[in-house]
């Protein structure tokens, strides 16, 4: 968070030259990691808690959200390669307001006219809602303080963020100050801020709050930080429970574990005077990668307020990420009072304004954080979604219980952030059956049997390995349709266009009129009882693109269709497992039935993995049709390049011959489809004598 030191112009050139020389002299040198880093780096020091003191923060819980301060427009902006224009800052400011931030640090108005003008434009153009306070930052220098307070004239409520670095490394090396010098400089600045804000309040009615920042707090002696803050509190003189002063405890550089920062905050919080008139503000940076943890522990240790940026933008490794921090609370049932319902849009805007990209694995905001590629993860998520759906349906049905979120690997419902479930499971060659089955269920509404999941995943895995790419939702559903011939148009070598079911006479086994209605059990796919009458299946089927009729008899439509394949196409199949499903069961007028059936060549034994068998699927609003379609779907996968026999020709007598003596039939044979009389040798000789 360190904003830099305002050096006199005469010193700038010599400073730049010194830095350049230092960098140049080390460019060609190498410094390997030390085997004993303790010879170079010092560990963090102990906190001067009284002897026997018991830390409070390890036993505390966060049950309410803190006050949030977004510093995207200031701390975030100063770290950008290309700082935002004022129009871009305004777009981001409006988004921050929409999200729900009530305190927003908007500028460093004494740094440039552009910064000053941005503050003025927010006030003059009425961009600041009545319940939102703006904050500006200023170093502890009189001329810069005056310019900063001038920029706030006319706002309803403004926060003056006064800072100076107070740690030994800055006091002694950068400023050449003693502790006494630092105290004097700070109190003079506080005194001036108080005077100027009181004057401005009298003129414009603006209400001011002082936010004094102990810059580099995390590297400052805890006793000195408390001593200085208590002197500031006394000098300010007007802090009350209704008009509090803010102390910003900046971990300007994160140099120690997050538990150490929590100790520092607790020590400060328990030793500052008039604690009920003080807001302890947390400002962690992410140099060690633990800014979020430091912030969470800092809140447990007494923090009331958080300063940070969306997506953790800021100098070096950035400020604490307010999105991650807020959603961590949200996932524990604590409302952050910030709305990230459209997180994808917010992330896109922040990335555009900052001209930066978000890593795909970034917490909550990354493209892949709600995606699972590993098979075991996918299986757990699929089972979790199924179980949760049933649990929530039971809550809706009974009106009792709680629709709580409990999901393997996914701690927060993506739908709460504006995402769907379509990216929860992503399929690659490393995925498992559950991921593929989930995609099919979500997009085709088909709940595949377990053995079919294994079988179809092998198809997907081969395709993924062939292409070397992820299998997208579109590619998975397309592969499913082509593999199982799920189409209203002919696909594969066999395609059932339509069929008729004709009851057979028990005595003559001759068919009668087609059945107008056939009551079928969607769950029944096994041989019928011996006493059940036979049914003839007549199917109009495309065979290698040529339409023909096949026939077969059986106790029910499934077995009759299988017999038709055996008799007319010489395709003999055994039935393995089967399952049925009603799609849109809660809306029966629009329901459809899906039949899944496993077929295999006679005598083959299918393994647990499904090797040796092929699955088929049939979908229709009619139960029987779904079963018949599933037979041809599976048969397509088993026929391979088999040569089918030619279509059988069926003789039907011509109507004109129906009243002739039946003895003529013994002399009729079929040749090229025309009736021809067969004459004996004696009849031929008699015919020749008569003609002579």
């Amino acid at each position: 968070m360190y904003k830099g030191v305002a050096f006199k112009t005469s010193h700038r050139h010599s400073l730049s030259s010194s830095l350049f020389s230092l960098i140049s002299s080390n460019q060609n040198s190498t410094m390997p990691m030390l085997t004993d880093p303790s010879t170079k780096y010092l560990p963090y020091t102990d906190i001067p808690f009284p002897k026997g003191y018991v830390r409070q923060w390890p036993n505390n819980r966060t049950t309410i959200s803190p006050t949030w301060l977004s510093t995207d427009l200031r701390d975030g902006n100063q770290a950008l390669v290309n700082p935002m224009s004022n129009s871009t800052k305004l777009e981001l400011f409006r988004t921050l307001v929409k999200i729900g931030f009530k305190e927003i640090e908007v500028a460093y108005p004494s740094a440039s006219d552009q910064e000053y003008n941005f503050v003025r434009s927010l006030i003059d153009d009425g961009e600041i809602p009545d319940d939102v306070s703006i904050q500006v930052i200023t170093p502890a220098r009189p001329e810069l303080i005056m310019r900063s307070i001038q920029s706030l004239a006319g706002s309803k409520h403004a926060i003056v963020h006064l800072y100076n670095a107070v740690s030994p490394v800055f006091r002694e090396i950068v400023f050449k100050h003693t502790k006494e010098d630092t105290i004097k400089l700070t109190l003079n600045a506080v005194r001036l801020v108080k005077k100027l804000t009181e004057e401005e309040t009298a003129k414009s009615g603006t209400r001011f709050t002082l936010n004094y920042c102990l810059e580099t707090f995390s590297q400052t002696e805890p006793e000195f930080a408390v001593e200085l803050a208590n002197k500031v509190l006394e000098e300010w003189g007007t802090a009350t429970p209704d008009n509090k002063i803010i102390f910003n405890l900046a971990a300007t550089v994160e140099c120690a574990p997050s538990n150490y920062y929590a100790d520092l905050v607790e020590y400060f919080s328990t030793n500052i005077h008039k604690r009920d008139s003080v807001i302890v503000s947390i400002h962690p940076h992410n140099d060690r990668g633990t800014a979020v943890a430091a912030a969470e522990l800092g809140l447990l240790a007494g923090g009331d307020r958080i300063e940070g940026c969306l997506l953790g933008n800021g100098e070096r490794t950035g400020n604490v990420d307010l999105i991650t921090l807020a959603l961590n609370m949200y996932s524990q049932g604590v409302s952050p009072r910030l709305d990230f319902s459209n997180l994808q849009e917010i992330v896109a805007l922040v990335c555009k304004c900052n001209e930066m990209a978000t890593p795909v694995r970034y917490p909550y905001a990354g493209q892949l954080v709600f995606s699972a590629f590993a098979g075991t993860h996918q299986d757990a998520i699929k089972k979790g979604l199924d179980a949760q759906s049933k649990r929530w349906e039971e809550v809706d049905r009974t009106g009792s219980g709680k629709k709580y979120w409990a999901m393997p690997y996914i701690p927060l419902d993506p739908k709460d952030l504006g995402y769907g479930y379509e990216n929860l499971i992503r399929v690659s060659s490393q995925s498992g059956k559950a991921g593929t089955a989930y995609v099919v269920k979500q997009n085709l509404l088909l709940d595949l049997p377990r053995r079919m999941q294994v079988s179809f995943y092998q198809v997907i895995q081969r395709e993924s390995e062939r292409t070397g790419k992820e299998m997208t939702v579109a590619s998975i559903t397309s592969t499913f349709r082509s593999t199982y011939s799920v189409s209203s148009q002919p696909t594969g070598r066999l395609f059932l266009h339509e069929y008729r079911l004709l009851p057979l006479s028990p005595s003559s086994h001759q068919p009668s009129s087609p059945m107008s209605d056939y009551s079928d059990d969607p769950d029944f796919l096994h041989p019928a009882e011996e006493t059940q009458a036979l049914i003839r299946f007549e199917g109009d089927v495309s065979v290698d693109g040529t339409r023909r009729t096949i026939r077969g008899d059986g106790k029910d439509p499934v077995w009759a269709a299988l017999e038709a394949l055996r008799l007319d196409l010489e395709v003999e199949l055994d039935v393995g497992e089967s399952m049925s499903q009603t799609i849109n069961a809660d809306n029966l007028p629009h329901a459809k039935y899906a039949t899944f059936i496993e077929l295999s060549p006679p005598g083959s034994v299918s393994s647990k993995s499904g090797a040796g068998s092929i699955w088929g699927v049939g979908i229709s609003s009619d139960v029987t049709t779904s079963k018949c379609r599933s037979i041809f779907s599976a048969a397509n996968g088993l026929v391979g390049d088999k040569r089918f026999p030619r279509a059988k020709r069926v003789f039907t007598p011509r109507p004109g011959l129906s009243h002739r003596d039946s003895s003529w039939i013994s002399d009729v044979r079929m040749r090229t489809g025309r009736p021809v009389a067969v004459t004996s040798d004696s009849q031929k000789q008699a015919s020749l004598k008569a003609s002579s």
Side-chain angles (χ1 to χ4, degrees):
M1 177 189 162
Y2 180 54
K3 314 301 185 300
V5 183
F7 293 97
K8 293 182 179 179
T9 305
S10 60
H11 292 166
R12 289 177 181 168
H13 178 72
S14 60
L15 174 64
S16 299
S17 299
S18 299
L19 286 173
F20 181 78
S21 299
L22 179 62
I23 293 170
S24 299
S25 65
N26 285 283
Q27 275 184 337
N28 298 321
S29 63
T30 58
M31 179 67 73
M33 290 183 66
L34 304 174
T35 56
D36 182 9
S38 68
T39 62
K40 186 175 183 179
Y41 300 102
L42 299 176
Y44 58 90
T45 59
D46 293 333
I47 305 295
F49 287 121
K51 186 176 181 179
Y53 179 81
V54 177
R55 290 171 173 80
Q56 300 170 29
W57 65 263
N59 297 318
N60 291 340
R61 276 180 175 261
T62 297
T63 56
I64 60 172
S65 66
T67 299
W68 303 95
L69 181 283
S70 162
T71 185
D72 289 86
L73 303 177
R74 172 50 212 157
D75 245 24
N77 189 48
Q78 75 165 359
L80 300 179
V81 176
N82 300 307
M84 289 179 272
S85 65
N86 280 0
S87 59
T88 301
K89 289 179 70 174
L90 178 59
E91 182 180 15
L92 185 51
F93 175 84
R94 289 171 174 169
T95 299
L96 294 170
V97 170
K98 187 176 180 181
I99 291 170
F101 285 97
K102 301 305 180 185
E103 295 184 5
I104 304 172
E105 188 167 53
V106 295
Y108 189 162
S110 62
S112 69
D113 288 341
Q114 179 180 344
E115 291 281 281
Y116 182 93
N117 291 337
F118 180 67
V119 182
R120 291 309 316 162
S121 68
L122 292 177
I123 298 170
D124 296 339
D125 296 342
E127 292 285 351
I128 309 169
D130 288 345
D131 62 345
V132 173
S133 303
I134 60 171
Q135 175 174 295
V136 300
I137 189 167
T138 178
R141 290 180 53 187
E143 69 278 15
L144 303 183
I145 292 172
M146 292 177 64
R147 178 77 166 160
S148 299
I149 293 174
Q150 288 172 0
S151 73
L152 296 169
S155 61
K156 184 172 183 179
H157 179 216
I159 303 170
V160 179
H161 185 183
L162 176 70
Y163 77 90
N164 60 308
V166 298
S167 65
V169 70
F170 279 90
R171 290 196 318 260
E172 298 165 8
I173 298 174
V174 179
F175 302 124
K176 309 296 183 184
H177 280 178
T178 63
K179 289 182 179 179
E180 291 71 22
D181 294 333
T182 300
I183 293 173
K184 181 179 179 181
L185 180 147
T186 303
L187 297 184
N188 285 340
V190 170
R191 198 173 295 118
L192 180 60
V193 170
K194 181 179 180 182
K195 174 179 179 296
L196 295 176
T197 54
E198 287 177 348
E199 292 174 354
E200 185 57 47
T201 299
K203 287 191 295 183
S204 63
T206 299
R207 182 169 65 88
F208 289 93
T209 295
L210 175 63
N211 175 12
Y212 174 61
C213 173
L214 296 99
E215 186 77 350
T216 65
F217 165 80
S218 57
Q219 294 171 281
T220 302
E221 309 94 318
E223 306 98 321
F224 179 64
V226 170
E227 177 189 357
L228 178 59
N230 279 328
K231 290 183 181 298
V232 168
L233 180 61
E234 183 180 0
E235 186 64 41
W236 186 246
T238 60
T240 67
D242 297 325
N243 186 24
K244 298 182 180 183
I245 186 174
I246 302 170
F247 285 108
N248 186 5
L249 310 185
T252 309
V253 181
E254 188 180 40
C255 295
S258 50
N259 62 291
Y260 179 71
Y261 183 65
D263 281 350
L264 288 172
V265 173
E266 182 164 315
Y267 182 86
F268 183 93
S269 180
T270 54
N271 286 280
I272 190 72
H273 298 165
K274 300 181 66 174
R275 182 62 181 89
D276 62 348
S277 301
V278 168
I279 295 173
V280 174
S281 190
I282 306 299
H283 189 122
H285 272 242
N286 201 40
D287 297 270
R288 292 168 56 95
T290 57
V292 170
E296 290 178 334
L297 298 188
L299 291 176
L300 297 179
D304 307 302
R305 181 177 185 260
I306 290 284
E307 297 188 4
C309 293
L310 301 181
L311 300 179
N313 186 32
E315 290 280 19
R316 304 180 312 282
T317 55
N319 292 277
V320 64
D321 175 18
L322 299 184
I323 293 176
T324 300
L325 192 58
L327 294 181
N328 282 357
M329 292 182 187
Y330 181 83
S331 69
Q332 293 296 303
V334 177
S335 172
R337 295 179 295 140
L338 297 176
D339 186 4
F340 294 111
S341 298
N342 59 337
L343 183 59
Q344 195 169 15
E345 294 177 19
I346 293 171
V347 169
L349 176 64
V350 174
C351 289
K352 183 190 78 169
C353 293
N354 292 340
E355 298 181 7
M356 297 173 68
T358 302
V360 295
R361 301 290 184 187
Y362 195 90
Y364 300 111
Q367 293 181 357
L368 297 181
V369 297
F370 294 117
S371 299
F373 288 89
T376 53
H377 292 207
Q378 293 174 347
D379 183 61
I381 292 171
K382 179 180 180 295
K383 290 175 179 176
L385 287 170
D386 291 343
Q388 181 162 273
S389 177
K390 293 177 182 178
R391 188 171 64 248
W392 286 10
E393 288 174 2
E394 183 66 14
V395 172
D396 289 336
R397 187 185 66 82
T398 62
S400 63
K402 184 177 181 180
K403 296 171 74 171
Y404 61 88
W405 178 263
M407 187 65 53
Y409 296 110
I410 310 294
L412 185 149
D413 189 349
K415 288 187 176 181
D416 290 356
L417 307 181
Y419 298 109
Y421 292 162
E422 62 275 4
N423 284 326
L424 270 183
I425 292 177
R426 305 275 290 271
V427 178
S428 70
S429 62
Q430 302 301 307
S431 303
K433 66 183 186 302
T436 306
Y438 173 83
V439 172
V440 171
K441 184 175 182 180
Q442 290 297 306
N443 294 274
L444 299 178
L445 304 181
L446 299 176
D447 194 2
L448 306 184
R450 185 185 179 282
R451 283 172 62 85
M452 188 177 183
Q453 293 178 24
V454 175
S455 178
F456 181 53
Y457 174 64
Q458 292 171 351
V459 176
I460 292 299
Q461 188 176 42
R462 287 193 296 269
E463 182 64 15
S464 180
E465 290 175 345
R466 183 186 69 81
T467 62
K469 297 180 179 179
E470 174 193 358
M471 294 293 289
T472 63
V473 170
S475 60
I476 291 173
T477 54
S478 174
T479 301
F480 184 89
R481 291 179 184 280
S482 62
T483 300
Y484 300 110
S485 306
V486 181
S487 173
S488 59
Q489 300 299 319
T491 58
R493 298 187 64 192
L494 303 175
F495 182 81
L496 178 64
H497 291 278
E498 57 186 7
Y499 67 92
R500 293 165 296 284
L501 298 177
L502 300 93
L504 299 183
S505 167
S507 57
S508 66
H509 293 291
Q510 295 301 311
S512 57
S513 300
M515 295 179 174
S516 58
D517 59 340
Y518 180 83
S519 179
D520 204 352
D521 183 349
D523 296 322
F524 189 79
L525 274 173
H526 299 288
E529 299 293 335
E530 289 295 329
T531 57
Q532 187 168 326
L534 289 173
I535 295 173
R536 174 159 295 171
F537 172 89
E538 288 188 356
D540 293 335
V541 181
S542 283
V543 181
D544 291 334
T546 301
R547 195 155 174 167
R548 59 196 275 189
T549 300
I550 65 173
R551 297 173 177 83
D553 301 342
K555 295 286 187 180
D556 70 8
V558 168
W559 297 96
L562 287 169
E563 183 69 1
L565 287 171
R566 186 185 70 83
L567 292 175
D568 288 345
L569 299 180
E570 297 180 356
V571 176
E572 192 167 356
L573 302 169
D574 287 345
V575 177
E577 291 187 8
S578 62
M579 194 184 86
S580 63
Q581 174 195 348
T582 303
I583 304 172
N584 292 330
D586 55 347
N587 188 9
L588 289 179
H590 298 90
K592 287 192 175 185
Y593 301 93
T595 300
F596 308 98
I597 191 167
E598 182 186 29
L599 301 181
S600 59
S604 64
V605 179
S606 300
S607 66
K608 290 184 178 180
S609 64
S613 64
I614 291 292
W615 282 83
V617 59
I619 305 170
S620 174
S621 56
D622 175 70
V623 174
T624 304
T625 301
S626 77
K627 290 182 178 181
C628 293
R629 286 177 177 173
S630 72
I631 295 293
F632 285 85
S633 168
N636 257 324
L638 282 170
V639 295
D641 56 359
K642 171 185 172 60
R643 293 188 61 182
F644 296 118
R646 297 176 62 183
K648 296 179 180 179
R649 300 186 181 276
V650 179
F651 168 71
T652 302
R654 291 186 304 179
L657 300 177
S658 59
H659 298 293
R660 291 180 56 180
D661 191 319
S662 61
S663 62
W664 69 273
I665 196 68
S666 62
D667 294 330
V668 175
R669 295 180 182 174
M670 294 300 296
R671 295 182 182 175
T672 65
R674 293 181 291 113
V676 179
V678 179
T679 307
S680 66
D681 291 342
S682 60
Q683 289 174 321
K684 290 179 181 179
Q685 291 176 359
S687 177
L688 287 173
K689 290 179 180 180
S691 61
S692 62

